[in-house]
Amino acid sequence: MRTSRGLAALCLAGVMLAASACGGSSGGADDGTVELRFGWWGNNDRAAATQKVIDAFQAKNPGIKVKGSFTDFNSYFDRLATEVAGGRAPDVITLGGAYPREYGDRGALLDLAKVSGVLKTDKIGAAALDNGKFGGVQYGVPTGVNAISVVVNPAVFDKAGVKLPEEDTWTWDDFKRIARELATKLPKGTFAVADPTRTDMLDVYARQRGEALYTADGKVGITEKTLVDWWMMTRELRDAGATPPASQTAELITQPAPEQSLMGSGLAAMQFDWSNQLTALSKAAGQPLRLVRVPGESGGTQPGMWLQASQIYSINAKSEHPQEAAKFVDFLVNSPDAGKIILADRGIPANSDVRTAIQSVLGEHEKAQAEFIDTLTPKAGPPLVIGPAGSTDTPKILDRVNAEVLFDRQQPSEAAAEFVKQVGAAIQE
């Protein structure tokens, strides 16, 4: 996940939340209707589907009105940090990655045990549910399950006359070889792969070596050697023209929508991304795309890929209407009616009954995602170690340090040391 510049402001959030206990997150109309606010990130297609879900919920619950609010991924967490610090966060908050732990530890999220009579989780597997549980407290429930993957455009491979990778056996050396071969055969402006440097890929790469981005006791777990090897590889790809030049990569970071990506524009053969992005990327590209496992899974110390909650729904600890908020979250994750609208946009549904209910109405891309998750499940590595408080700064740190490498302002060894130092400071190691 790419994260907020503003989250550092949460260092004061504990005090500010206490001072904001009046809780301006929601309200009520003169006729007694309860009004809830629901915050999430996404694009216009997700917005349209989400509004249909809200409409379906309101039809079944005429006494509750839900106001949805969304922005793009890069802006979402900046805005949320400001809202939380000012006591103005939505009643129902969408989170992911380390954010449930970050906000939960700061007292911003409701302990869902307090609304367990309304919000049921018995049909959601423990592996998915634990993505929202920290210190024995359930702070959120998963929308669905997905996994990091390589999204492949077979048409670009065919155009270059290059064979698709053997996903069960390909190594990182195979990946580099295929990327270099593509680079020599693709037209100018089309690339083998978008720059793969992102926190989830560092975690995969490190886990394959028996490491992880973080240790279970809240320290930096990835070694400088692993980081150096990673950046040596990405510089090699850049120099071969397999990835875009540094200036284009820097620009792409600011354009997170699927249609703005190289893959969504039909200008990349491969892109590392989450499996639930297949539908949006395929629609943007106007071509059928495929999901394959990341390189190095069969030859590492252990598999690096893991099953992860796509997103997490949490409830504002200061909500004036926690029971009604819980009722809405229950509808989002447990209702087949909601599932038939959302389908796999927020991951393959975590609720087993919802998965069964939507199977017959899944489109080609959603079925491909479900098959990918089903195939991966017995091959996946151990659960991910969720980063400690402060780790939500890591993606921004990585973007800055990666730019130093790609623009040749730092050598990989210097960047590795700087990354470890800055992340260690962010998590107060």
Side-chain angles (χ1 to χ4, degrees), residues 14-247:
V15 174
M16 296 179 75
L17 282 170
S20 308
C22 58
S25 62
S26 56
D30 292 339
D31 62 0
T33 299
V34 169
E35 296 181 355
L36 301 175
R37 290 174 55 223
F38 172 36
W40 50 274
W41 69 83
N43 58 14
N44 290 332
D45 288 340
R46 179 174 289 174
T50 302
Q51 188 57 52
K52 288 181 182 179
V53 173
I54 290 173
D55 292 342
F57 173 77
Q58 291 177 156
K60 292 179 178 292
N61 299 274
I64 304 175
K65 181 176 177 60
V66 179
K67 181 180 179 181
S69 176
F70 79 100
T71 186
D72 66 85
F73 185 87
N74 283 353
S75 303
Y76 177 79
F77 292 99
D78 285 342
R79 185 175 74 176
L80 181 61
T82 302
E83 290 175 330
V84 170
R88 296 177 285 104
D91 298 275
V92 177
I93 304 170
T94 306
L95 298 171
Y99 280 102
R101 180 175 181 176
E102 182 91 34
Y103 282 107
D105 286 350
R106 299 182 189 278
L109 304 180
L110 184 71
D111 178 352
L112 296 184
K114 296 179 180 180
V115 291
S116 60
V118 178
L119 175 53
K120 304 299 183 182
T121 60
D122 55 301
K123 293 293 184 177
I124 300 175
L129 202 58
D130 283 351
N131 281 262
K133 187 175 185 179
F134 304 96
V137 179
Q138 194 75 48
Y139 288 119
V141 292
T143 64
V145 178
N146 65 358
I148 195 67
S149 65
V150 183
V151 182
V152 170
N153 187 330
V156 176
F157 271 84
D158 288 344
K159 186 175 182 180
V162 177
K163 291 183 179 180
L164 292 172
E166 296 287 343
E167 64 174 313
D168 288 331
T169 59
W170 72 324
T171 65
W172 286 103
D173 284 339
D174 292 329
F175 166 70
K176 290 188 291 183
R177 174 182 52 77
I178 291 170
R180 288 194 301 267
E181 185 179 0
L182 285 164
T184 65
K185 297 179 178 180
L186 290 173
K188 184 177 181 179
T190 301
F191 299 94
V193 62
D195 180 74
T197 304
R198 42 191 292 167
T199 53
D200 39 44
M201 283 311 304
L202 287 187
D203 237 324
V204 169
Y205 194 68
R207 282 159 58 92
Q208 289 177 351
R209 296 177 170 213
E211 304 171 9
L213 196 49
Y214 307 104
T215 63
D217 59 351
K219 299 183 183 301
V220 178
I222 191 169
T223 63
E224 291 185 21
K225 173 64 166 59
T226 292
L227 289 164
V228 168
D229 289 347
W230 176 266
W231 272 312
M232 291 292 288
M233 175 181 69
T234 60
R235 284 205 318 179
E236 179 183 334
L237 294 173
R238 179 208 60 188
D239 292 344
T243 58
S247 58

Side-chain angles (χ1 to χ4, degrees), residues 151 194 198 244 248 251-268 270-273 277 280-282 284-285 289:
V151 182
R198 42 191 292 167
Q248 188 171 355
E251 182 179 0
L252 288 166
I253 289 174
T254 68
Q255 300 173 341
E259 57 270 17
Q260 296 172 314
S261 68
L262 290 177
M263 181 60 65
S265 303
L267 298 176
M270 298 179 286
Q271 178 170 304
F272 291 91
D273 217 322
Q277 292 300 301
L281 287 169
S282 297
L289 306 178

Side-chain angles (χ1 to χ4, degrees), residues 3-20:
T3 182
S4 70
R5 295 177 293 274
L7 204 65
L10 280 176
C11 293
L12 299 176
V15 174
M16 296 179 75
L17 282 170
S20 308

